[in-house]
Amino acid sequence: GGENMRILKFTGSAPPILAATLCAFAAAPISSIAYGAQADNDTIEEIVVTSRRRAESVQDVPLAVTAFNSEDIERISPDTLRDIDGRMPNVFIGRQTAGPQMGAVYIRGLGYADVEKNIPPAVGVIIDGVFQGTSTGQLIDMFDVEQVEVNRGPQGVLFGKNTTGGTIVVKRVQPEFNEFGISIAGELGNYDRTDLKGRVNIPIVTDKLALKIGGISKQRDGYYDNITLGGSAGDIDYQSATAALKWQPVESFVATLTYDYLKDRSDSVAMDARYNGDDPFVNENDFDAQTKYDQDMVGLVMDWDMGGVTLHSITGWVDSSDWVQQDFDSATLASFDDDVTPTIAPTPLAQLHTLRDQTYEQFSQELRLSGSFNDNWHFNVGGFYWDAEIT
């Protein structure tokens, strides 16, 4: 309650998409460092980033970096990563309509906005240390996110290849020792919109072991009228689950194991050829536009302070399948009233129906040693192994 309560929220465009939003925090909430919050004494708390692969104040980083902390995210109230678009210079975060949660991310003009997985994006999206090898699934839901760092410009020295435009580093809420906490959020709106999100933090062993589990469900009828097949277009049917186990047997070693599952059965993005009037919500698809997207992701992050030198290990595995069929012309076949003049012809005698049936699997292993010789000299040395398979 109190400052954390949001009562009413309006989103969308004509027709109006109305939603009432309620966020509740019970017991001891899952906490995170208030990187950018204003303290009671009117001072601004330090914003900590890892743009140079070590924790330091954003004011000390000689890079073009924009950081969103937990208070920023709560204030902006984004649904997905796309909703922070327009809040950073020289950064564009759009949506690619040919795939599920697919980003079209550009930094300083460098990026990738196609669906094919055999070309990696030029902007690296990194979730809890795991590099995302394709644009599919980049637009992560922001409910469980506590910080986003956007590093502009080439990042290959510290983050490897495929980061010529920059990186977007997403950090989610981590399990907390010794505190039980619940965080929930919900939205109800027209077109039978029902969004339910929640997570719980469970302390298991004092100062040593904690578990975070969470889930998201999004349901909504489409607000496009399909006048060919009947019913609506653009329906949303999305579920995801996450679990993270944090273990710190001694002060010098900490490991976090994370598992994520995502299932999306939403309609493909609805389109309107606009040849039959200026109503953008009239849809004439004669091909069932659907998405079937499943993804499993496992990440294991380990840090071992060996006295002056820290060993970092990040292991990532992603296994996904996406089956997407779309009606890009958004119309029926052309018909003729006098064997010459088409009565309806969005593109004369042409239809563009697509079916993409893909599986994708990636494995990555990063090992790094980091440390400092003094206040002015720091080092990072290590290696990165990557393997990906596309069918």
Side-chain angles (χ1 to χ4, degrees), residues 59-323:
Q59 293 181 331
D60 298 331
V61 179
L63 298 172
V65 54
T66 301
F68 299 87
N69 56 43
S70 56
E71 284 72 27
D72 297 327
I73 294 172
E74 182 178 345
R75 181 176 63 254
I76 298 170
S77 188
D79 183 36
T80 70
L81 189 66
R82 182 189 183 189
D83 295 319
I84 65 172
D85 176 54
R87 301 177 183 273
M88 303 145 288
N90 296 320
V91 178
F92 171 77
I93 303 176
R95 180 179 180 184
Q96 224 291 2
T97 61
Q101 292 89 56
M102 179 169 288
V105 184
Y106 286 80
I107 296 180
R108 295 179 176 175
L110 296 176
Y112 182 61
D114 207 341
V115 65
E116 310 306 339
K117 290 183 170 64
N118 58 342
I119 301 178
V123 176
V125 175
I126 301 163
I127 301 175
D128 291 342
V130 179
F131 186 92
Q132 306 298 300
T134 76
S135 298
T136 303
Q138 280 185 336
L139 302 181
I140 183 175
D141 189 279
M142 295 289 285
F143 170 72
D144 199 32
V145 174
E146 69 174 4
Q147 185 164 339
V148 177
E149 301 171 12
V150 181
N151 302 298
R152 300 187 293 280
Q155 305 294 320
V157 172
L158 295 174
F159 289 94
K161 69 173 186 176
N162 304 329
T163 57
T164 51
T167 57
I168 298 179
V169 181
V170 178
K171 300 178 181 179
R172 292 183 295 181
V173 174
Q174 296 295 297
E176 292 288 334
F177 300 133
N178 310 328
E179 290 187 353
F180 178 84
I182 298 175
S183 180
I184 58 174
E187 292 194 24
L188 299 176
N190 57 352
Y191 299 95
D192 289 331
R193 175 175 180 173
T194 305
D195 292 359
L196 300 174
K197 307 177 183 182
R199 66 173 179 264
V200 57
N201 188 83
I202 305 172
I204 300 175
V205 179
T206 302
D207 295 327
K208 296 185 183 299
L209 192 64
L211 174 66
K212 180 202 75 174
I213 56 176
I216 295 173
S217 175
K218 299 179 184 180
Q219 305 282 338
R220 195 206 65 200
D221 293 339
Y223 46 85
Y224 295 82
D225 291 326
N226 188 317
I227 61 176
T228 302
L229 300 178
S232 61
D235 297 3
I236 293 176
D237 182 4
Y238 171 98
Q239 290 85 35
S240 68
T242 184
L245 185 66
K246 185 176 181 179
W247 179 48
Q248 189 170 8
V250 293
E251 185 68 24
S252 60
F253 178 82
V254 60
T256 303
L257 177 65
T258 305
Y259 169 74
D260 293 278
Y261 172 70
L262 187 152
K263 176 183 177 181
D264 191 350
R265 297 296 184 269
S266 304
D267 288 352
S268 301
V269 176
M271 302 182 186
D272 174 36
R274 301 296 288 273
Y275 72 93
N276 58 349
D278 59 2
D279 186 350
F281 301 103
V282 172
N283 184 272
E284 294 191 7
N285 284 359
D286 59 350
F287 183 63
D288 192 14
Q290 283 191 331
T291 295
K292 296 179 182 178
Y293 180 48
D294 295 279
Q295 176 179 283
D296 295 276
M297 183 170 72
V298 177
L300 175 61
V301 179
M302 298 183 288
D303 296 297
W304 182 19
D305 185 352
M306 298 183 292
V309 177
T310 302
L311 176 63
H312 309 271
S313 172
I314 302 175
T315 307
W317 174 75
V318 177
D319 184 20
S320 67
S321 63
D322 53 292
W323 182 92

Side-chain angles (χ1 to χ4, degrees), residues 295-357:
Q295 176 179 283
D296 295 276
M297 183 170 72
V298 177
L300 175 61
V301 179
M302 298 183 288
D303 296 297
W304 182 19
D305 185 352
M306 298 183 292
V309 177
T310 302
L311 176 63
H312 309 271
S313 172
I314 302 175
T315 307
W317 174 75
V318 177
D319 184 20
S320 67
S321 63
D322 53 292
W323 182 92
V324 182
Q325 59 181 23
Q326 287 183 284
D327 186 344
F328 275 99
D329 61 86
S330 304
T332 58
L333 279 172
S335 62
F336 300 85
D337 55 7
D338 56 6
D339 294 330
V340 177
T341 305
T343 56
I344 54 172
T347 52
L349 302 177
Q351 282 192 307
L352 180 55
H353 293 169
T354 63
L355 171 61
R356 289 184 173 88
D357 188 357

